[in-house]
Amino acid sequence: MTTRLSVVVPVRDEARRLRTTLDGLIDALARLRHPAEIVVVDNDSTDDSAAVALSYRDTAVPVRLLSCVTPGKGAAVRTGVLATSDEYVGFCDADLATDVSAFPPMLAQLDAGVNAVIGSRAHRDSKIAAHHGITRRTGASLFRFATRQLVPGIADTQCGFKFFDRATAEAAFRPLRTQGFAFDVEVLARVQRAGALLAEIPVTWTDVPGSTFNPVRDGYDSFASLARIRAVLANEAAARPHRTPSTPGVLDRTTPELARGALRSA
């Protein structure tokens, strides 16, 4: 059957847990009524991540491997998204911290006409098991505060579970400039500026040890990236002085019926 959903998984030195992640994704995606594929993007790993991905042949859900030598999670996800042509595309993290139970409600929203669906740990119905230290929690709070002007109305920009219809994915990822961990902010800002309808859905999220995110090094880079994103978007807006700004829509919905109601009232 023709694939309708592509799930991009960026990996860098994830050989130890990639097999568990792929097994979980294959099991979950095979149960959906949307034919799907998994696209593993190896971000210049020094371990056997690529070999693990290549070992998945003739599985219930196809797994293919791409290479991205440009360092950064944003660069890897962009490579994967733009290498697909399916109706829906998005990404999840290699640690599968967001439970696969988020796939059915995500697809229900996209089928209902929502353009972008993102998992939100800040959603009142989310179930979170986190073990971050005080330094990382404080940094995350400050980062959320710093993103408010760039992506108003979005409570959680950094949850690694985001999916889009094809047109919205192209609008967000083709001009993407941010290559590091803050790329989500630029993606969401571009989604909003395109006038897309976006829904935040609750997730079950578990902090999985072994993240490649370094709170000091990557935290500093992420804050610096916000200034660059702001400048890039401002320059692009200045180059289109006669364009009428789009008004983004952000839904707090979990069912397609509610999404349709919001679309009718928009």
Side-chain angles (χ1 to χ4, degrees):
M1 298 177 66
T2 303
T3 302
R4 290 189 65 201
L5 170 68
S6 290
V7 180
V8 175
V9 183
V11 302
R12 179 176 174 82
D13 296 337
E14 293 284 0
R16 180 177 56 84
R17 56 187 177 183
L18 182 57
R19 193 173 299 279
T20 299
T21 294
L22 291 178
D23 288 344
L25 283 175
I26 289 170
D27 182 66
L29 295 175
R31 299 171 186 271
L32 301 176
R33 60 187 180 86
H34 292 67
E37 70 165 350
I38 300 168
V39 181
V40 176
V41 183
D42 180 28
N43 196 202
D44 205 22
S45 294
T46 59
D47 66 2
D48 293 331
S49 293
V52 171
L54 287 172
S55 71
Y56 280 76
R57 299 184 179 92
D58 300 322
T59 51
V61 176
V63 178
R64 61 182 172 118
L65 174 68
L66 299 177
S67 176
C68 174
V69 297
T70 302
K73 182 181 178 182
V77 173
R78 180 179 185 271
T79 294
V81 169
L82 296 183
T84 67
S85 58
D86 298 316
E87 183 179 7
Y88 304 142
V89 61
F91 64 92
C92 65
D93 288 341
D95 59 7
L96 212 58
T98 301
D99 191 80
V100 294
S101 59
F103 278 103
M106 175 272 292
L107 285 168
Q109 293 282 8
L110 290 175
D111 284 344
V114 176
N115 306 116
V117 182
I118 66 173
S120 175
R121 293 164 295 185
H123 195 286
R124 63 184 177 275
D125 295 327
S126 289
K127 300 176 182 178
I128 308 299
H131 308 287
H132 290 158
I134 184 64
T135 300
R136 187 161 177 178
R137 292 201 303 270
T138 301
S141 296
L142 291 172
F143 189 81
R144 286 194 296 271
F145 179 80
T147 64
R148 287 178 182 173
Q149 286 187 329
L150 280 169
V151 284
I154 297 178
D156 181 8
T157 63
Q158 300 309 111
C159 181
F161 188 89
K162 296 180 175 69
F163 286 82
F164 314 85
D165 63 28
R166 172 54 50 183
T168 304
E170 291 288 333
F173 283 92
R174 195 159 293 283
L176 182 67
R177 301 277 294 276
T178 306
Q179 298 176 345
F181 284 102
F183 82 99
D184 303 73
V185 178
E186 183 181 343
V187 166
L188 295 175
R190 291 187 180 281
V191 166
Q192 287 192 327
R193 282 155 179 75
L197 187 61
L198 182 149
E200 295 188 85
I201 62 172
V203 295
T204 298
W205 188 89
T206 303
D207 178 31
V208 181
S211 172
T212 60
F213 182 87
N214 182 291
V216 176
R217 179 196 65 229
D218 296 317
Y220 174 82
D221 289 344
S222 294
F223 277 97
S225 292
L226 295 183
R228 291 192 293 269
I229 293 168
R230 189 175 290 107
V232 166
L233 296 177
N235 288 338
E236 290 179 359
R240 300 189 298 268
H242 302 299
R243 180 178 177 181
T244 302
S246 300
T247 301
V250 180
L251 299 178
D252 176 13
R253 300 289 184 262
T254 58
T255 67
E257 290 76 19
L258 289 174
R260 290 191 188 97
L263 287 167
R264 284 197 297 268
S265 63

